[in-house]
Amino acid sequence: MHTLDGVTRGDQYRALGLSTFAFTVCFAVWTIFSIIGVKIKQELGLNDTQFGLLVATPVLTGSVSRIFLGVWTEQFGGRIMFPLQMMITAVCVWLLTSVTSYPVFLIAALGLGLAGGSFIVGIAYTSRWFEKGRQGTALGIFGAGNVGAAVTNFAAPFLVVAMGWEGTARVYAVVLAITAVLFYILAKDDPVHEERKRTGKGPVSTADQLAPLKNIQVWRFATYYFFVFGGFVALASFLPRYYVGAYGLELTTAGVFAGLYSLPGSVFRALGGWMSDIWGARAVMYLTFVVSLIILFIMSYPETSYTVEGITGPVSFNFGVSVGVFVALTVVLGFMMSLGKAAVYKHIPVYYPHHVGSVGGLVGMIGGLGGFFLPIAYGALLDLTGVWTAPFMLTFVMVAIMTVWMHVAIRRMERRRHPGLEQERYLSDVPDEPVASPAHVHPAK
């Protein structure tokens, strides 16, 4: 574990506050296509598959770049990498406004996607400022920067109406550039980087940083994150389109409703970190998966008409989820996903305290790829099936598979640590020993 000698509470809060603010701005930029993409779709006449690819393309860069940004942050420090990443992204966002064709939009979106790489930069930087017992809470607070998606969903539609999508992109670029400058001026080098400068010790090699990636446990964590984060990003991007198409809402209203999903999916990540510190990340992951399965099942049920043979003749009725109920379900789903995101990243500094950048980068990359592939899959499902709720059906199946894999892996781990349980096949919850017989048996009268 790295040393925290000389680090004050003020230093910790300073690093956490700056990182969280910067990540919030980056996340707002990263999800900008969920709003301006709707206008671009209308201008270019894109189908749902093309729109899904456009929305997902920034997520691809933000995902793949995480593993490299994580390693570089471990080597050069977050005070250098965070502003550098933000400034490059700001330039790409500004240049986006000069694009006119769909293929070039996709290329420009790749540059914009670097905003998503900010997550692992902030994780690696923030984790170095806190002791083990407080890392879950600290990283949960940092992860609440996901609220940037809600900022975009709430604010961007009104900016688009007032300034057009080009003006909206320019505003985002300027804000991101200002944030980069402020972070560099106000932030300090993390304790590990300071220690290296003091002792003259060089950074850990890339090969050593990547060594833990051979562990299947790391990839299992990444799979969980594919849903709790990748699914969150995908739904934050997809829901405005869903509300406009399935319920016929205006873009501004659809953006607000999508923001209601994104908001709890972001701000309660801090709560998830605290719960993981207190009750353990495993319990939080079980809670996340089980509740999410219930909600996704209801959300995936399409508008359906039934006719049954009644006593006096056919009886017909309809089943469907009203827009109010659907919005409420997404709010709860976003809340559960926020808990799950914190729980996944609680594991990493505990199991891999010296490889947070590389392991966290891989987990973040796989999770981010969920945000890339799922919008494309959602668009393709809409084109192929013509059923609005088909994307939620896919998500339900995905979560069900992950839940089973997690449970099987946990049971196998328990049996390895407690070989005596291997032969216990009769009950799911085995007591230490059978309940003893009553001490006194009264004779029958």
Side-chain angles (χ1 to χ4, degrees):
M1 188 66 183
H2 56 267
T3 179
L4 293 176
D5 294 339
V7 174
T8 66
R9 284 284 186 254
D11 291 333
Q12 292 177 325
Y13 297 149
R14 180 193 192 96
L16 179 58
L18 287 172
S19 297
T20 303
F21 176 73
F23 179 50
T24 301
V25 175
C26 287
F27 209 90
V29 171
W30 199 35
T31 56
I32 191 175
F33 270 127
S34 65
I35 300 300
I36 70 172
V38 176
K39 289 295 184 182
I40 296 171
K41 179 180 185 295
Q42 295 172 354
E43 289 184 9
L44 300 182
L46 306 180
N47 60 31
D48 282 306
T49 303
Q50 291 173 316
F51 174 71
L53 179 60
L54 177 63
V55 170
T57 298
V59 182
L60 177 63
T61 311
S63 304
V64 175
S65 66
R66 287 184 176 192
I67 191 166
F68 306 107
L69 289 173
V71 172
W72 292 337
T73 302
E74 291 283 345
Q75 294 177 337
F76 305 114
R79 183 170 178 263
I80 297 298
M81 292 305 302
F82 223 148
L84 181 61
Q85 168 266 321
M86 285 189 282
M87 193 61 72
I88 294 174
T89 306
V91 173
C92 294
V93 176
W94 186 276
L95 293 177
L96 178 69
T97 61
S98 62
V99 177
T100 57
S101 65
Y102 179 68
V104 183
F105 264 119
L106 294 178
I107 296 174
L110 288 173
L112 183 150
L114 283 174
S118 61
F119 174 73
I120 191 55
V121 178
I123 285 287
Y125 178 73
T126 303
S127 66
R128 287 178 169 181
W129 288 95
F130 290 87
E131 57 273 21
K132 178 180 176 180
R134 300 177 66 222
Q135 281 178 332
T137 302
L139 295 181
I141 293 172
F142 165 77
N146 286 164
V147 76
V151 172
T152 289
N153 285 328
F154 281 127
F158 298 97
L159 284 175
V160 170
V161 171
M163 307 174 63
W165 72 263
E166 296 92 343
T168 302
R170 292 190 183 98
V171 169
Y172 271 53
V174 171
V175 171
L176 187 58
I178 293 173
T179 304
V181 174
L182 290 176
F183 188 93
Y184 183 77
I185 293 174
L186 299 176
K188 296 181 178 181
D189 287 326
D190 63 76
V192 173
H193 200 65
E194 279 290 323
E195 180 70 13
R196 286 176 184 165
K197 289 196 298 185
R198 187 181 65 81
T199 61
K201 184 179 180 181
V204 179
S205 69
T206 301
D208 289 338
Q209 280 293 313
L210 297 177
L213 304 190
K214 63 184 179 181
N215 298 338
I216 188 64
Q217 180 191 55
V218 174
W219 294 87
R220 184 159 51 86
F221 294 159
T223 304
Y224 304 160
Y225 211 61
F226 188 89
F227 165 63
V228 294
F229 177 74
F232 169 78
V233 173
L235 288 175
S237 300
F238 172 72
L239 283 175
R241 164 67 178 140
Y242 179 80
Y243 284 126
V244 170
Y247 292 105
L249 303 180
E250 294 294 328
L251 180 59
T252 51
T253 305
V256 171
F257 285 169
L260 292 176
Y261 158 76
S262 301
L263 191 61
S266 309
V267 297
F268 287 105
R269 188 163 180 163
L271 175 63
W274 178 82
M275 291 172 62
S276 298
D277 282 340
I278 301 299
W279 295 309
R282 181 189 302 179
V284 177
M285 286 307 305
Y286 269 118
L287 178 66
T288 297
F289 281 156
V290 171
V291 176
S292 295
L293 282 172
I294 296 172
I295 294 172
L296 286 167
F297 177 81
I298 299 172
M299 291 172 61
S300 65
Y301 211 91
E303 186 82 26
T304 308
S305 297
Y306 293 96
T307 300
V308 298
E309 289 296 331
I311 297 174
T312 60
V315 178
S316 299
F317 56 93
N318 297 322
F319 176 83
V321 179
S322 67
V323 63
V325 173
F326 188 89
V327 170
L329 289 172
T330 63
V331 171
V332 179
L333 180 63
F335 171 75
M336 299 312 304
M337 295 171 86
S338 70
L339 302 184
K341 284 182 283 190
V344 172
Y345 267 87
K346 166 64 179 178
H347 292 89
I348 295 172
V350 174
Y351 284 102
Y352 306 99
H354 305 293
H355 302 82
V356 174
S358 57
V359 174
L362 175 75
V363 172
M365 181 185 74
I366 300 300
L369 287 176
F372 171 72
F373 287 112
L374 287 176
I376 299 174
Y378 291 170
L381 281 173
L382 292 181
D383 286 336
L384 291 172
T385 67
V387 177
W388 278 111
T389 60
F392 308 119
M393 298 177 189
L394 172 64
T395 310
F396 173 85
V397 172
M398 180 180 71
V399 177
I401 294 172
M402 292 178 186
T403 305
V404 172
W405 188 21
M406 181 181 74
H407 184 68
V408 169
I410 289 173
R411 295 306 301 267
R412 286 179 176 174
M413 180 183 68
E414 290 174 344
R415 291 190 181 111
R416 284 197 303 269
R417 297 183 65 179
H418 305 283
L421 292 177
E422 184 68 32
Q423 303 304 317
E424 299 289 354
R425 306 177 185 276
Y426 304 105
L427 299 172
S428 60
D429 187 9
V430 182
D432 293 335
E433 59 184 41
V435 177
S437 61
H440 300 286
V441 178
H442 298 285
K445 295 183 181 179

